[in-house]
Amino acid sequence: MFRELALLDEGSAPYRRQRDAIIERCLPLADHIARRFRGRGEAHEDLVQVARVGLLNAVNRFDVDSANDFLAFAVPTMMGEVRRYFRDHGWSLKVPRRLKELNVRLNSARSELTHQLNRAPTPSELAEFLGMERDEIVEGLVAANAYSTRSTEQETMRTGDGDGLTLLDTIGGPDEGIQRVIDIQTVQPLLAKLPARDRLVLQLRFFDNLTQSQIAERIGVSQMHVSRLLARALATLREQIG
């Protein structure tokens, strides 16, 4: 079919019909390539389209006079197209292109070494296998975590009552007491600098919850004087905090 195509004028109607016939005959192969990459986080329909783009590229670039047959040329072309799609579009978080390309090499090396060693290879073994520095391998392995992320709404476990817990439930939320701790740690050294009577009045009012009249009776002054002491102490704290 390719030899017949080579005899036709490119762009002519017979050329397009012959080219379409070749593509249609090879579509099952493209679909097979797409199925090999299923379950890796991308929609199967998208993978089929990408594999078929690879098939079109293979048909357009195949040299019928080369030593290779078409399948030997088309399969790597389609698989390369799908791998590039994963590299460029399949990452949940943005990472440098070199790390995406390294991830492809790591996956292949890890698979081969696992088969040889009957266990998962260490970063040092991967580095030796790929002829790279161990630090580069570690960087690539860490970057691989950015390929897929988990939704905080994803159910992760069930309670004893059978209720589902999402990832967000296990992470928790803001602690309302944090701001109180911050306030206390901020004010505490400032309180220590106040006169003893001012500190006592603030303690009785805001920690012991006494009224101004009760404070006045406790320390033996008028309620008006307590009011002035409180105002002065609070003004001093505000000025130092500000």
Side-chain angles (χ1 to χ4, degrees), residues 8-143:
L8 300 173
D9 293 331
E10 186 174 348
S12 66
Y15 180 92
R16 289 195 297 271
R17 284 195 297 271
Q18 182 70 355
R19 178 175 174 273
D20 291 345
I22 293 173
I23 292 171
E24 184 176 357
R25 183 165 183 174
C26 295
L27 282 178
L29 179 60
D31 296 348
H32 172 73
I33 296 295
R35 283 195 296 272
R36 291 185 60 178
F37 289 88
R38 291 180 67 175
R40 301 190 185 185
E42 296 296 319
H44 177 64
E45 294 77 9
D46 293 340
L47 298 179
V48 169
Q49 293 301 317
V50 173
R52 290 181 176 183
V53 168
L55 172 61
L56 292 176
N57 292 336
V59 171
N60 290 336
R61 289 158 36 196
F62 180 63
D63 181 5
V64 71
D65 294 323
S66 67
N68 296 325
D69 61 32
F70 179 65
L71 287 183
F73 177 76
V75 170
T77 302
M78 287 184 283
M79 293 187 68
E81 195 71 33
V82 175
R83 288 193 176 105
R84 278 191 293 275
Y85 175 80
F86 274 98
R87 183 192 66 193
D88 295 336
H89 302 282
W91 292 73
S92 298
L93 301 177
K94 186 175 181 179
V95 299
R97 179 178 290 260
R98 67 178 180 84
L99 292 179
K100 293 180 180 179
E101 294 172 347
L102 175 57
N103 183 253
V104 175
R105 296 180 62 192
L106 283 173
N107 287 338
S108 177
R110 192 157 37 195
S111 176
E112 186 167 343
L113 284 175
T114 299
H115 179 71
Q116 293 178 8
L117 303 172
N118 291 320
R119 59 172 174 80
T122 66
S124 297
E125 290 168 338
L126 287 168
E128 182 179 358
F129 183 82
L130 293 174
M132 300 175 64
E133 295 292 333
R134 185 180 184 279
D135 289 347
E136 294 179 275
I137 298 298
V138 172
E139 185 182 15
L141 294 173
V142 172

